[in-house]
Amino acid sequence: MTRRTDWPGSESADAEDSGSPAPSRAGKGLPPQDPAEQARAICLRLLTGTARTRKQLADALQKRGIPDDVSDEVLSRFEEVGLINDAAFADAWVESRHHGRGLARRALARELRTKGVDSALIDDAVGQLDSDQEEERARELVARKLRSTRGLERDRRVRRLASMLARKGYPEGLALRVVRRALEEEGEETDDLGYDPL
């Protein structure tokens, strides 16, 4: 199979193979690459295999020295044709991270904020999860972790399990209620814990 050499970055791959430094575009007698063309190539490369938010792409273009006006124009065009869709990104992120990692709405919202998703889009995406779904996922997480805490004294078990849920963004009241119920089902005495199981 022959290797394509017209992809961005292929010059450096060929140079690494030959052991000599990659010649620049100017060294080959080619005109410098147009900033918009360069921005499109960077975005397409970053979008290959994984969705990204507009903010993530804007940050990448800024690091590569693409002027802001060029970046805005290219990113807006990518949005128009559907290559960038922050709402779809947020929905997919919530679906994947809630079911895959067990993250609660609060943790999901925090992650989406760090990726530059607009607050309204975050609210819509995490709003797909209701409190019943969140509680059910918390119970699954506790049930999976419960076995590894057997043999520990009860208060340590409570702290360990509730801390695990807290790291995943579950509110304290929900975490303690779920942990208490799981321990009660194992026969642990929990009346003195002071957490309302309802």
Side-chain angles (χ1 to χ4, degrees), residues 146-158:
L146 202 58
R147 187 179 301 117
S148 69
T149 66
R150 288 188 186 130
L152 298 176
E153 53 114 356
R154 187 205 60 193
D155 289 352
R156 279 191 69 193
R157 294 183 85 190
V158 169

Side-chain angles (χ1 to χ4, degrees), residues 60-177:
L61 294 177
Q62 186 177 43
K63 285 180 187 171
R64 296 291 296 271
I66 303 296
D68 289 345
D69 59 332
V70 173
S71 174
D72 286 342
E73 183 181 328
V74 169
L75 294 174
S76 293
R77 180 64 184 143
F78 272 50
E79 281 182 325
E80 285 172 24
V81 299
L83 291 172
I84 302 172
N85 185 332
D86 283 3
F89 177 94
D91 289 346
W93 188 268
V94 166
E95 175 73 17
S96 168
R97 303 283 282 176
H98 177 68
H99 294 292
R101 298 279 311 279
L103 298 186
R105 289 175 288 187
R106 185 170 55 189
L108 292 165
R110 185 172 54 243
E111 288 187 344
L112 288 169
R113 273 194 300 276
T114 66
K115 296 188 176 303
V117 177
D118 181 76
S119 295
L121 296 179
I122 292 173
D123 291 344
D124 288 345
V126 299
Q128 296 172 37
L129 300 175
D130 61 33
S131 54
D132 290 340
Q133 288 173 294
E134 202 168 54
E135 182 161 345
E136 180 59 33
R137 192 67 179 105
R139 286 183 188 175
E140 291 169 4
L141 292 167
V142 167
R144 191 183 311 158
K145 184 86 172 166
L146 202 58
R147 187 179 301 117
S148 69
T149 66
R150 288 188 186 130
L152 298 176
E153 53 114 356
R154 187 205 60 193
D155 289 352
R156 279 191 69 193
R157 294 183 85 190
V158 169
R159 281 195 303 274
R160 186 168 291 184
L161 294 167
S163 295
M164 177 267 297
L165 290 177
R167 286 192 300 275
K168 292 181 179 290
Y170 290 88
E172 182 182 16
L174 169 64
L176 295 173
R177 184 172 69 244

